[in-house]
């Protein structure tokens, strides 16, 4: 069995210099920092994706580079672990889940750490080794058990496009409130098979995206001028509105007109809830009706991160195909 670690940067890849300052290590230093890699019953290769980056600096070009690197190595390896900073891991995991498409069909586990590998108390060692073990899991026919893009952090495996970074302090950095964990590592490594995504192996890659997407949060007291500026004056081609509760909006008399005007000017609008544990399926409340009536796209239980990335990919499609593409589930990212 052959596994590839794709190292992109983040806290996990930091080691202390003599003076105590932390610097990113080169991928060659991984074996020195995690000698237990040699004990895995797999051949492990480690490749860097350019200069290691703080994930705050990771964006659409990096997602493309990661997806290309994974596709280029797909036939050579049985499973993949991507070492990534936590700050934007949820965006990259969403992007990879959509961009690789169902035909990738092999385990991809993103992980990182809250404390650098070069520090004694690091959570990175366990996160890395368990992620590799997850990528090694086979079914009775010898095929991979996990055939989707996942995030493993502090004992729990999640669908990658369902997580958000919840804590910058605790080891359990990620939560997935709208989809249950796919697995857990305790005394045993347990996967919940029925929760795993069964990819359509005929579904191709997605490469084109239009990154001109903005996010507008509806907050009490917001002025018409502010919302207009975001929806109509920002030049954004797509906007994700963060609505309240299960998809509600304040009773602003001007809201319907602003939404309709943006739609008429070709700005694509979708909404997710400001509540992390929520779904924006058609609202039962009168205060949600204005959003529905303006034709703002529903997101089900999608995360903000998945919605932003999906909007970028949808905007690259022919206008007539965009709504149907948004409404379809691409990688189990919505209910
Ligand atoms: N700023 C770091 C990053 O996202 C934080 C981390 O890795 O935990 O790259």
């Amino acid at each position: 069995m052959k596994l590839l670690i794709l190292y992109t940067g983040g806290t996990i890849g930091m080691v202390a210099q003599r003076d105590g300052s932390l610097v990113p290590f080169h991928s060659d230093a991984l074996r020195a920092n995690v000698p237990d890699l040699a004990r895995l019953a797999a051949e492990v290769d480690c490749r860097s994706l350019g200069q290691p980056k703080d994930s705050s600096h990771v964006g659409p070009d990096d997602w493309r580079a990661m997806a290309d690197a994974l596709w280029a190595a797909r036939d050579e390896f049985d499973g993949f672990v991507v070492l990534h900073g936590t700050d934007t891991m949820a965006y990259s995991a969403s992007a990879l889940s959509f961009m690789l498409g169902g035909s990738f069909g092999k385990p991809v586990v993103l992980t990182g750490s809250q404390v650098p590998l070069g520090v004694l108390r690091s959570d990175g060692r366990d996160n890395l080794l368990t992620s590799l073990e997850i990528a090694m899991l086979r079914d009775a026919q010898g095929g991979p058990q996990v055939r989707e893009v996942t995030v493993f952090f502090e004992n729990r495996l999640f669908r990658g496009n369902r997580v958000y970074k919840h804590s910058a302090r605790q080891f359990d950095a990620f939560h997935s409130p709208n989809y249950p964990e796919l697995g857990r590592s305790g005394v045993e490594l347990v996967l919940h098979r029925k929760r795993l995504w069964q990819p359509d192996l005929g579904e191709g890659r997605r490469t084109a995206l239009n990154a001109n997407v903005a996010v507008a949060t509806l907050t009490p007291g917001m002025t018409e001028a502010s919302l207009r500026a975001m929806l109509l004056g920002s030049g954004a081609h797509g906007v994700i509105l963060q609505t309240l509760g299960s998809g509600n909006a304040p009773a602003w008399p001007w809201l319907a007109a602003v939404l309709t005007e943006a739609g008429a000017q070709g700005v694509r609008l979708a909404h997710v809830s400001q509540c992390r544990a929520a779904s924006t399926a058609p609202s039962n409340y009168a205060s949600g009706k204005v959003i529905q009536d303006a034709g703002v796209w529903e997101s089900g239980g999608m995360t903000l991160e998945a919605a932003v990335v999906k909007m970028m990919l949808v905007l690259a499609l022919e206008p007539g195909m965009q709504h149907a593409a948004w409404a379809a589930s691409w990688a189990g990212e919505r209910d």
Side-chain angles (χ1 to χ4, degrees):
M1 167 140 349
K2 284 184 77 180
L3 302 176
L4 176 65
I5 299 172
L6 189 62
Y7 172 51
T8 70
T11 294
I12 191 164
M14 298 283 194
V15 283
Q17 298 190 108
R18 283 219 178 114
D19 64 359
S21 62
L22 292 167
V23 289
F25 64 55
H26 188 263
S27 59
D28 298 347
L30 191 63
R31 285 175 214 286
N33 280 279
V34 191
D36 285 344
L37 282 172
R39 298 174 59 196
L40 283 170
E43 206 181 302
V44 182
D45 203 349
C46 181
R47 296 179 187 166
S48 288
L49 194 78
Q51 276 298 101
K53 279 189 179 179
D54 182 305
S55 78
S56 313
H57 307 156
V58 167
D61 290 341
D62 304 284
W63 304 336
R64 254 193 231 108
M66 285 179 220
D68 286 349
L70 291 169
W71 260 105
R74 182 190 178 276
D75 295 336
E76 201 188 330
F77 295 92
D78 302 291
F80 303 85
V81 171
V82 179
L83 296 184
H84 195 289
T86 56
D87 288 350
T88 62
M89 190 182 288
Y91 289 93
S92 294
S94 299
L96 288 178
S97 77
F98 301 146
M99 293 173 99
L100 292 176
S103 48
F104 192 79
K106 291 191 174 179
V108 177
V109 188
L110 279 82
T111 196
S113 70
Q114 297 282 56
V115 177
L117 260 182
V119 172
L120 193 59
R121 216 169 52 78
S122 175
D123 50 332
R125 182 187 164 280
D126 282 357
N127 284 347
L128 170 58
L129 291 172
T130 309
S131 295
L132 289 163
E133 291 202 329
I134 289 167
M136 289 169 69
L137 294 173
R138 302 290 108 177
D139 62 21
Q141 289 73 44
Q145 285 197 29
V146 175
R147 295 193 293 167
E148 61 179 294
V149 176
T150 57
V151 165
F152 180 78
F153 230 87
E154 233 247 327
N155 303 333
R156 295 195 292 164
L157 183 71
F158 298 112
R159 176 158 302 155
N161 55 38
R162 289 300 192 116
V163 295
Y164 72 98
K165 181 173 177 180
H166 124 93
S167 176
R169 293 171 187 272
Q170 305 299 327
F171 283 165
D172 68 330
F174 291 91
H175 281 181
S176 170
N178 295 325
Y179 197 76
E181 66 192 31
L182 303 178
R184 188 179 277 256
S185 97
V187 174
E188 287 172 9
L189 200 48
V190 177
L191 288 188
H192 301 285
R193 303 244 183 118
K194 289 199 175 127
R195 296 177 188 166
L196 294 170
W197 188 53
Q198 297 308 326
D200 169 0
L201 296 174
E203 184 198 63
R205 309 170 55 171
R206 298 181 181 90
T207 49
L209 58 75
N210 171 351
N212 195 352
V213 172
V215 176
T217 307
L218 304 188
T219 49
M222 185 176 213
T223 63
E224 178 178 357
S226 312
L227 193 64
R228 273 189 176 276
M230 285 189 253
L231 267 52
L232 288 149
S234 68
H237 295 170
V239 178
I240 308 294
L241 295 172
Q242 288 192 292
T243 48
L244 303 161
S246 45
N248 302 316
W252 298 319
W254 42 265
L255 179 58
V258 175
L259 296 177
T260 311
E261 214 176 306
Q265 293 202 11
V267 180
R268 298 301 192 196
L269 301 177
H271 73 120
V272 298
S273 174
Q274 290 172 41
C275 295
R276 285 302 197 161
S279 169
T280 63
S283 169
N284 299 325
Y285 295 92
S287 46
K289 230 173 151 288
V290 60
I291 302 288
Q292 274 165 249
D293 291 351
V296 178
W297 298 344
E298 300 290 346
S299 301
M302 245 191 260
T303 59
L304 172 68
E305 292 81 350
V308 166
V309 177
K310 187 167 183 178
M311 181 62 91
M312 291 179 181
L313 290 156
V314 162
L315 288 175
L317 303 174
E318 289 295 316
M321 294 168 60
Q322 293 177 355
H323 187 198
W326 177 269
S329 171
W330 280 0
E333 84 288 7
R334 57 185 301 151
D335 305 324

